[in-house]
Amino acid sequence: MTRWQVDAVLLDMDGTLLDTEKVYLEASIAAFNALGYSEGVTELCHAMIGIPGPDNERTLRDHFGDNFPLVEVNRLFAAKTIEILDAGMPLKPGVLTLLDAIEAAGLPKAVVTSSSRRTASEHLRLARIDHRFDAVLTRDDVSRAKPHPDLYLLAAERLRTRAPACVAIEDSNPGVAAAHAAGAITLMVPDIVPPTDETRAKCEAVLPDLDAVREMLGLRLQFVPPT
């Protein structure tokens, strides 16, 4: 198996490290339903996964019209999210052993997320993994977030390398588009929305979980993952 020449690992946050996409989906649907919106809401929420909040707000206004009660939806969404996360910030299975393996290989790693810096900082802290990254890149750091490549290009720069020398791990179609456009070696672990054929073509591999990612990195980077 061909060895990858890799300088760093770049990881998406929501749906990849943190099992929050299902939280956001539940909170979004609850907010819409509370205001009388039900038809097509689940599909619309799926289409917004992996997209920055401001872009999703434009999508909602385009879909429902200028009179859509965006402020109230955001309020209800935030309240429901807090209610759900009061039970704890859920990690995706395999996160800790994957981070251990990357560290054992001596590779720096960064979070690359469409969330705001405030949200990313708070959620990584609640998950107790905020100390495990060499950099955290958020939508606040660039003028164009995912699916544009800017965040991945900047993350590689922050880690003093170039994107083609990085492995990027993503869960969403927009995230894969961003990582691939930057030139990174892109792995996908789908969360809620399955990959499109176009997305699959942009991935080095589509894997079932982070344990499979760890195993692939162990083979491709020739390090022994911790057990």
Side-chain angles (χ1 to χ4, degrees):
M1 184 175 289
T2 304
R3 181 174 179 176
W4 290 338
Q5 298 299 316
V6 170
D7 293 336
V9 180
L10 311 177
L11 303 104
D12 173 58
M13 187 178 73
D14 292 306
T16 300
L17 294 171
L18 308 182
D19 199 7
T20 45
E21 292 294 8
K22 66 182 182 183
V23 174
Y24 296 151
L25 181 62
E26 179 182 345
S28 296
I29 292 173
F32 284 123
N33 290 346
L35 295 174
Y37 296 91
S38 58
E39 185 175 353
V41 161
T42 299
E43 293 77 10
L44 182 62
C45 290
H46 284 175
M48 295 190 293
I49 290 175
I51 302 295
D55 292 342
N56 284 334
E57 290 181 359
R58 284 190 288 273
T59 296
L60 292 173
R61 291 196 186 281
D62 289 344
H63 185 84
F64 292 109
D66 290 337
N67 292 326
F68 180 70
L70 185 59
V71 172
E72 183 63 7
V73 165
N74 283 339
R75 186 190 68 79
L76 292 169
F77 168 81
K80 186 64 175 180
T81 299
I82 291 170
E83 176 188 328
I84 297 170
L85 293 180
D86 272 347
M89 178 60 66
L91 288 172
K92 296 290 287 187
V95 166
L96 298 180
T97 51
L98 174 60
L99 296 180
D100 288 344
I102 296 169
E103 289 168 9
L107 293 174
K109 52 193 179 305
V111 170
V112 183
T113 177
S114 292
S115 292
S116 68
R117 178 155 298 278
R118 178 179 178 181
T119 296
S121 297
E122 177 67 6
H123 286 188
L124 292 171
R125 183 189 66 79
L126 289 173
R128 299 182 179 180
I129 58 172
D130 53 317
H131 62 289
R132 303 203 61 174
F133 301 96
D134 300 279
V136 176
L137 284 299
T138 75
R139 71 172 188 233
D140 297 331
D141 295 306
V142 292
S143 58
R144 302 186 307 168
K146 302 174 188 178
H148 299 286
D150 305 37
L151 269 172
Y152 276 103
L153 294 171
L154 182 58
E157 182 181 327
R158 290 279 176 87
L159 298 184
R160 301 188 178 187
T161 186
R162 298 172 59 253
C166 297
V167 170
I169 305 169
E170 275 283 355
D171 75 290
S172 70
N173 291 299
V176 166
H180 179 266
I185 300 167
T186 306
L187 304 178
M188 184 183 192
V189 179
D191 186 26
I192 293 175
V193 179
T196 63
D197 290 341
E198 181 181 2
T199 292
R200 285 185 178 275
K202 294 175 179 177
C203 296
E204 186 70 29
V206 177
L207 300 167
D209 51 43
L210 293 180
D211 289 330
V213 170
R214 176 168 51 84
E215 291 170 6
M216 173 167 279
L217 292 181
L219 292 171
R220 293 287 190 161
L221 305 183
Q222 296 184 8
F223 66 83
V224 180
T227 57

